[in-house]
Amino acid sequence: MRTVAVVGASLAGLSAARSLRKQGYDGRLVVIGDEPHRPYDRPPLSKEFLAGTVGEAELALEADGEDLRAEWLLGARATGLDHTDRAVRLADGREVRADGIVIATGAAARTLSGSEGLAGVHALRTLDDARALRDELARGGRLVVIGGGFIGAEVASTAYALGLEVTVVEVAATPLAGPLGEAMGGVVSALHADHGVRLLCGVGVKGLSGETRVDAVLLEDGRSIPADIVVVGVGARPCVEWLEGSGVLLDNGVKCGADGRTSLAGVVAVGDCANWYDPRAGAHRRVEHWTGARERPDAAVAALLAGGAVEPGVPRPPYFWSDQYGVKIQFAGHAAGADSVTVEEGAAGDRNVLAVYRRAGQPVAVLGMNQPRLFTRWRKQLSAPL
């Protein structure tokens, strides 16, 4: 290969670029990013950066003196992929022709219909999002977080520590039931009540009120929750619309094999937009976690450089962590499909627990709250070969 284009300049794209050089690729390397920023770390955006304890310089992912010998095209949005000419089309009219392509365009925050143009309403996905929200939180007031997932919970925790009055609204009866299951989702989400944060479950949002700036969140049951600031944390959608008509198979992102290979030869996908096949589950799963964006590009790049001539391995079970109200939450594996969950250490009431999820007696996932050593031990068991 003479030219490889990496489309996406966040962690997954940077990891792919690093892996290309590490695995001996010495040709032209072009990294395309739609944001104007160099690669930065996203997990602190909802925590330390929002709280003002971490600055922008500390978010940088590139090491001092690191030189990938790459051409960086930043502020350049990909709008299409011509598989015949093997060219990535950009919004400004340019094209980047490449023999190999790594798709790493990530995911974008879902929005709330009717909130467009209303001041005080925020999503949190990018550095620019975090800058705007941080400035608002610094002024204090009443915050309503729509969505009780991990991002929403982290924002609520940070805002609580900053002294804001916080309400979390979640349409599901139990927050985090999707990733954690109902029992442990209830345990983790109880952290809100432990710290005086109002949690409203089982009710949807009808809309927002306010002329130029939001002043309340309107619930489907008729209630109105006063708000000076609203954060919409209702999930993310994979950024793959630019690939429509390209021949790349799309299904909840880019549909891939167990090593990131797509339906087009010479094209792989990594990160939040990539729906990889998981041999353990016998199904495709799109993993939106930092560790996946960091680890999986190695396998995808190996498959790209080998032209698919290598046998795909088994991806490590997904792992993520969250920091809320001073509690370190760690999770690995897949709760879906487990037929039991047991607390192996601690007690749910004191929020210092380790719980193991099993299917037919075999561990398939593990959750730790302030149990880093035991969690690490159990996580290794999940990574054992099939």
Side-chain angles (χ1 to χ4, degrees):
M1 292 185 179
R2 291 176 296 180
T3 301
V4 173
V6 177
V7 190
S10 193
L11 175 62
L14 176 62
S15 297
R18 285 170 168 163
S19 190
L20 281 159
R21 294 307 190 202
K22 181 175 65 178
Q23 295 188 39
Y25 175 70
D26 199 36
R28 182 187 179 214
L29 175 57
V30 184
V31 182
I32 301 164
D34 62 348
E35 292 186 62
H37 313 293
R38 301 285 285 201
Y40 60 87
D41 208 14
R42 294 183 190 272
L45 295 182
S46 57
K47 301 184 284 290
E48 297 92 345
F49 181 81
L50 208 57
T53 59
V54 164
E56 292 187 22
E58 295 165 272
L59 298 177
L61 286 171
E62 295 170 276
D64 289 341
E66 183 175 16
D67 183 10
L68 293 170
R69 293 171 286 124
E71 300 173 34
W72 292 86
L73 304 183
L74 300 177
R77 181 171 57 88
T79 58
L81 172 60
D82 187 329
H83 69 274
T84 302
D85 292 337
R86 304 199 67 77
V88 178
R89 295 194 298 269
L90 305 180
D92 60 12
R94 287 180 292 175
E95 286 189 346
V96 177
R97 295 177 180 268
D99 308 295
I101 296 169
V102 180
I103 300 169
T105 41
R110 296 187 186 277
T111 57
L112 190 68
S113 178
S115 65
E116 299 84 0
L118 199 59
V121 181
H122 299 264
L124 183 56
R125 188 77 187 182
T126 69
L127 175 57
D128 292 336
D129 292 339
R131 287 170 172 167
L133 180 57
R134 182 184 59 181
D135 291 345
E136 292 240 41
L137 294 182
R139 291 193 284 269
R142 298 163 298 183
L143 169 69
V144 175
V145 179
I146 301 173
F150 283 102
I151 295 297
E154 289 172 358
V155 171
S157 171
T158 301
Y160 161 81
L162 291 172
L164 281 80
E165 177 185 323
V166 184
T167 300
V168 177
V169 179
E170 170 58 49
V171 68
T174 304
L176 305 172
L180 303 183
E182 287 192 11
M184 299 313 298
V187 171
V188 173
S189 60
L191 288 169
H192 294 302
D194 290 350
H195 293 82
V197 170
R198 187 182 183 193
L199 176 61
L200 304 178
C201 297
V203 60
V205 171
K206 182 178 180 180
L208 306 176
S209 72
E211 294 185 4
T212 59
R213 183 177 180 87
V214 68
D215 58 31
V217 175
L218 308 178
L219 304 185
E220 290 182 342
D221 63 7
R223 283 179 291 176
S224 176
I225 310 301
D228 302 301
I229 309 165
V230 170
V231 173
V232 180
V234 292
R237 56 170 182 81
C239 297
V240 295
E241 59 277 357
W242 66 282
L243 293 166
E244 292 178 3
S246 68
V248 172
L249 186 59
L250 303 178
D251 180 10
N252 185 28
V254 179
K255 195 171 184 179
C256 306
D259 54 5
R261 279 184 284 174
T262 73
S263 55
L264 288 184
V267 181
V268 298
V270 296
D272 292 0
C273 69
N275 190 9
W276 280 38
Y277 180 72
D278 184 343
R280 286 187 175 87
H284 283 79
R285 296 184 186 275
R286 189 168 61 85
V287 175
E288 294 184 19
H289 303 316
W290 189 95
T291 48
R294 172 63 187 86
E295 296 171 354
R296 291 189 172 187
D298 284 345
V301 163
L304 180 68
L305 295 179
V310 295
E311 193 69 23
V314 178
R316 293 183 69 189
Y319 162 72
F320 64 88
W321 73 92
S322 179
D323 296 295
Q324 301 173 28
Y325 305 103
V327 176
K328 179 78 170 182
I329 301 162
Q330 296 171 284
F331 186 85
H334 296 288
D339 53 35
S340 69
V341 55
T342 56
V343 173
E344 305 282 333
E345 186 73 23
D350 63 15
R351 318 302 182 209
N352 293 292
V353 303
L354 184 120
V356 178
Y357 301 68
R358 292 179 173 86
R359 182 170 60 244
Q362 296 299 313
V364 294
V366 58
L367 167 71
M369 298 176 68
N370 286 339
Q371 296 282 358
R373 291 185 179 179
L374 276 178
F375 176 87
T376 300
R377 187 184 309 163
W378 276 99
R379 184 188 176 199
K380 289 179 180 178
Q381 293 189 41
L382 302 182
S383 302
L386 288 170

